[in-house]
Amino acid sequence: MNEISDENINNYKEISFNNFIKILRNYKFFIFFITALISIFSVYYSLSIPNKYVSKTVVYVEDPSGNSSASIPSGYSNLASLAGINIQKGSVDMTSVVIERIRSKSFLKSLLDFEMVLPNLMAVNEYDQINQKLTYIENDYDSITNTWIRETPHGRSKVPSHIEAHEYYIRMLDIKLNKVNNFITLSVTHKSPVFSHYFLDLIVRQINQISRDVDIKEAESAMVFLNNYLKSATTNDLKELTNALISSKLKSIMVANIDKEYLVKTIDAPYLPEKKSSPNRSIICILGFILGLFLSVFLSLVHNYLKSTK
């Protein structure tokens, strides 16, 4: 019985396979037409997707104030805190602060002060590789007069605000933190390789500049307080501490003014992309062909089954 059953099963498989081949032959023109149609559409679709370029950089954060108060006795933490110096180390993870600051709306607002950043974020149509120039959406931005002409969206202004632009900014920005060594990989994706490189370099420069300005302002305010306090100090210990704090703040101002990479240090500098990162048109075309083939075969089998049941 087992031998007969196995033989019947093998015959059934052979018949089924032969029927399948017969159906494919009967519907070969239909299969060819559907497969070709979807393949052509996938080619057209892949060509319609604009090229995008990614510029990357690898950086790490080195807190310039980390050693500024190393020589200050911890017993004077109250006075030091009044002067704006945190003697307790490790209370703030500067790497996390830098990442969140780069992602913030307020940081983007500072970037939008630079020429053509906002139009390049929100109004780009395509990139002309021959002339290496960007074209803009005609209904949104007039590149000749450099003015926004878009219809004002509900609740928005004609010139996009940094809040509206933030979603475009986050979409093109990618930040990855290596938790082993605290290295940060920053990347910017854009239709223009020139702008992706420029904008990423601008982000690194601006995060350093903002941090520098904030620390200088805090140091100068602290020195005003300390100089006034020094006049009223009654003991040598307090005078010694106050002078140490003043020296620490002077060192902070000096470092801020001479160090170009004040907070964020570059390991691998931003580069101008030479090749597009997306789309992968060959993969899209191959997937379109496979989809067309499977869909046409499936429809042929369904049609043949429906016809045979009538």
Side-chain angles (χ1 to χ4, degrees):
M1 290 293 294
N2 289 336
E3 293 180 359
I4 296 175
S5 299
D6 292 341
E7 183 178 354
N8 289 336
I9 290 172
N10 290 331
N11 290 335
Y12 176 76
K13 288 181 178 179
E14 184 176 353
I15 293 172
S16 298
F17 179 76
N18 290 335
N19 288 338
F20 178 73
I21 297 299
K22 184 178 180 180
I23 293 171
L24 294 184
R25 288 176 178 174
N26 292 337
Y27 287 87
K28 59 183 177 181
F29 293 109
F30 174 78
I31 293 173
F32 174 78
F33 175 76
I34 296 298
T35 302
L37 184 65
I38 295 180
S39 297
I40 292 172
F41 175 78
S42 66
V43 171
Y44 174 79
Y45 173 72
S46 68
L47 293 175
S48 67
I49 304 175
N51 291 336
K52 290 189 176 181
Y53 300 84
V54 176
S55 181
K56 291 184 179 181
T57 183
V58 179
V59 300
Y60 69 96
V61 177
E62 184 178 90
D63 187 0
S65 64
N67 298 318
S68 63
S69 58
S71 61
I72 301 174
S74 59
Y76 297 105
S77 58
N78 290 335
L79 179 57
S81 62
L82 286 174
I85 296 178
N86 181 19
I87 292 179
Q88 303 299 324
K89 302 296 189 301
S91 59
V92 178
D93 180 6
M94 287 305 300
T95 299
S96 298
V97 170
V98 166
I99 291 174
E100 293 307 315
R101 182 175 289 175
I102 291 175
R103 286 177 174 153
S104 69
K105 295 180 179 66
S106 58
F107 179 69
L108 172 61
K109 187 177 182 180
S110 70
L111 297 177
L112 297 183
D113 291 335
F114 291 85
E115 185 178 4
M116 294 304 295
V117 168
L118 182 57
N120 287 341
L121 280 180
M122 297 185 60
V124 170
N125 181 32
E126 60 182 14
Y127 176 68
D128 185 350
Q129 291 183 330
I130 298 176
N131 299 315
Q132 296 186 347
K133 290 183 179 180
L134 284 166
T135 59
Y136 299 89
I137 302 173
E138 293 180 355
N139 295 330
D140 286 351
Y141 186 77
D142 186 345
S143 58
I144 298 176
T145 60
N146 292 328
T147 55
W148 288 88
I149 57 175
R150 65 174 187 163
E151 292 185 7
T152 306
H154 179 70
R156 305 285 192 180
S157 59
K158 186 171 288 290
V159 178
S161 66
H162 69 284
I163 297 175
E164 183 181 357
H166 188 258
E167 61 180 276
Y168 293 83
Y169 172 67
I170 291 298
R171 199 180 303 158
M172 66 185 294
L173 176 69
D174 185 53
I175 305 176
K176 294 179 180 178
L177 173 64
N178 187 326
K179 295 184 179 180
V180 176
N181 51 30
N182 270 1
F183 289 171
I184 304 172
T185 301
L186 297 172
S187 63
V188 168
T189 303
H190 197 264
K191 294 178 181 179
S192 165
V194 177
F195 181 75
S196 65
H197 169 250
Y198 164 78
F199 194 55
L200 182 58
D201 184 65
L202 177 62
I203 289 173
V204 175
R205 286 189 286 111
Q206 192 66 0
I207 195 66
N208 277 322
Q209 186 61 50
I210 289 176
S211 302
R212 179 185 295 109
D213 292 343
V214 169
D215 286 355
I216 289 176
K217 185 177 180 180
E218 289 180 352
E220 290 175 345
S221 298
M223 286 186 64
V224 170
F225 168 82
L226 291 169
N227 284 319
N228 291 332
Y229 185 84
L230 184 60
K231 297 175 183 178
S232 60
T234 57
T235 65
N236 290 331
D237 288 341
L238 287 177
K239 290 181 179 179
E240 182 181 346
L241 172 63
T242 305
N243 285 322
L245 291 171
I246 292 174
S247 176
S248 173
K249 284 305 175 183
L250 282 172
K251 180 181 178 182
S252 297
I253 294 174
M254 179 191 69
V255 171
N257 281 301
I258 65 174
D259 193 352
K260 292 182 179 179
E261 294 188 334
Y262 175 65
L263 179 63
V264 177
K265 311 290 185 180
T266 302
I267 297 175
D268 188 10
Y271 59 88
L272 182 67
E274 296 181 350
K275 296 182 179 180
K276 64 181 177 64
S277 60
S278 65
N280 192 326
R281 293 186 173 87
S282 59
I283 295 296
I284 294 175
C285 294
I286 292 172
L287 291 177
F289 171 79
I290 294 173
L291 175 63
L293 182 62
F294 274 90
L295 181 61
S296 60
V297 170
F298 174 76
L299 291 176
S300 299
L301 294 174
V302 171
H303 185 268
N304 182 77
Y305 172 78
L306 294 176
K307 186 172 67 173
S308 63
T309 56
K310 291 183 179 179

